[in-house]
Amino acid sequence: MKISKIGTSIFILSVLIYMASSYLKNKQLDGTYIYYPDGAVKGMTKPINDSITLYFGYDRKGKLRYASRTVNEYLDGEVKTYFSEGGLFKTETWSSGELTGPWKMYYKSGNLMSFVQLQDSMPVGNRYEYFDLPGKKVKYLGNNVNVRGKKWTNSQTWYDSLGNVIKSTVRLTQISGPRDVLLNDSLKLIFRLESLEHPLIENFVYDCDSLFNIRDSTFTYSSKSAGENVVTYIKATKLGEQVARGLIQNYKVLYRRKNGAYATESKDIYWSYKYVVKER
């Protein structure tokens, strides 16, 4: 079967258009370079597709110092920073332009220096700092909470390289209790503390949101103790997954005011506990 000259011309033209568009597309994906005044490459931006772009930053000697990715022009994924001598210095995790996820820093030896979980650019949970030794030997442990949009440090503890505590503020080490409770029963929770700074403990359970804003001031349970443990009972009034939140005060009484109230000195620890309320 013979192909007409017009058909052949259309075919050749189609091939040429395809090759040209492919060339232009690949040319666009080759990347854009940024230069130092002396002409050395400072950075390169490389699009992967219409939404994802990679960026690499270099020092004047051409060594990689920074690598990141953007999705729809927002930082997204892991951002890496390197020592000038080479080797990973820091990793950050971003999601749609928000600093979130784990943040890690490293010694030049390659050993992990510190680790903290971030949420909305704020450290939450435990922050660890390590000795420059293999095996991630903890040097510092701090516990952070997002309280009404600001960082609150619940506790801090420092260790020697053998794992012995050198210094510590009062800290909540454990909340013991069941994860399931029947409707209208009481959930029994035991709070264990170490390194008390003051002789007394009082535990308050509020109706709080995730940032510890109090939604209903009439919803309050409290319990007191003169030891390192305090037991608290919470009435299960709603079905499904619940989160109890509250505040522990480790305190001492300083004096009694003229109006009968007591002046106190205290250290506050914020806590939360997830549980499920089931039908009988």
Side-chain angles (χ1 to χ4, degrees):
M1 178 179 174
K2 295 183 179 180
I3 303 175
S4 68
K5 291 183 179 180
I6 295 177
T8 302
S9 299
I10 293 174
F11 174 75
I12 294 173
L13 181 60
S14 298
V15 171
L16 290 174
I17 291 173
Y18 173 79
M19 291 176 64
S21 63
S22 297
Y23 171 79
L24 291 173
K25 184 177 181 180
N26 291 331
K27 189 70 176 175
Q28 184 181 9
L29 296 180
D30 280 345
T32 302
Y33 291 87
I34 304 168
Y35 299 92
Y36 288 104
D38 60 5
V41 175
K42 183 177 183 179
M44 181 186 72
T45 302
K46 182 176 178 61
I48 301 301
N49 53 39
D50 291 340
S51 60
I52 300 176
T53 303
L54 304 181
Y55 176 78
F56 303 94
Y58 303 90
D59 63 17
R60 291 180 178 273
K61 297 180 180 179
K63 291 185 177 181
L64 182 65
R65 298 296 305 276
Y66 178 88
S68 66
R69 182 186 77 163
T70 61
V71 176
N72 296 322
E73 300 184 359
Y74 290 99
L75 275 175
D76 195 276
E78 194 170 62
V79 174
K80 296 181 179 180
T81 308
Y82 298 88
F83 288 106
S84 58
E85 302 89 344
L88 194 59
F89 167 61
K90 179 175 65 175
T91 63
E92 306 169 2
T93 306
W94 292 75
S95 177
S96 301
E98 290 288 341
L99 187 56
T100 185
W103 168 302
K104 300 178 183 178
M105 296 183 69
Y106 296 85
Y107 291 103
K108 291 183 178 180
S109 63
N111 293 321
L112 185 62
M113 178 189 293
S114 64
F115 172 91
V116 64
Q117 190 75 23
L118 296 174
Q119 188 176 53
D120 298 329
S121 304
M122 187 177 299
V124 294
N126 290 334
R127 173 186 173 88
Y128 297 91
E129 294 182 9
Y130 302 95
F131 288 97
D132 189 6
L133 297 168
K136 295 196 298 186
K137 294 182 178 294
V138 178
K139 181 179 183 180
Y140 167 85
L141 171 60
N143 181 264
N144 302 299
V145 183
N146 186 341
V147 178
R148 292 179 284 279
K150 296 182 179 180
K151 187 188 82 167
W152 178 266
T153 301
N154 268 340
S155 61
Q156 301 181 87
T157 305
W158 292 263
Y159 300 86
D160 64 22
S161 59
L162 298 177
N164 300 309
V165 175
I166 299 174
K167 182 175 67 171
S168 179
T169 62
V170 58
R171 55 179 177 162
L172 176 62
T173 59
Q174 186 180 18
I175 304 176
S176 300
R179 291 296 173 179
D180 297 338
V181 62
L182 296 177
L183 185 65
N184 294 323
D185 280 354
S186 291
L187 175 69
K188 179 183 178 181
L189 299 178
I190 302 173
F191 296 78
R192 306 183 189 281
L193 296 96
E194 290 184 358
S195 305
L196 294 183
E197 298 176 17
H198 307 298
L200 302 173
I201 301 171
E202 186 161 7
N203 188 24
F204 299 93
V205 184
Y206 300 111
D207 178 21
C208 293
D209 62 15
S210 61
L211 297 181
F212 292 92
N213 293 295
I214 297 177
R215 295 178 291 201
D216 183 0
S217 60
T218 63
F219 180 90
T220 306
Y221 299 95
S222 66
S223 51
K224 295 183 179 182
S225 173
E228 292 192 334
N229 297 340
V230 58
V231 178
T232 302
Y233 294 89
I234 303 172
K235 188 71 176 292
T237 58
K238 296 180 181 179
L239 289 172
E241 186 174 279
Q242 307 295 329
V243 181
R245 296 184 179 92
L247 166 67
I248 291 179
Q249 289 186 337
N250 178 211
Y251 71 100
K252 66 179 179 181
V253 177
L254 298 177
Y255 58 88
R256 189 169 185 173
R257 304 180 189 275
K258 293 181 179 179
N259 62 2
Y262 291 94
T264 62
E265 179 181 330
S266 67
K267 168 64 177 140
D268 297 342
I269 298 176
Y270 290 86
W271 59 267
S272 61
Y273 185 87
K274 292 183 180 180
Y275 63 100
V276 178
V277 179
K278 298 183 176 181
E279 288 274 17
R280 291 185 171 277

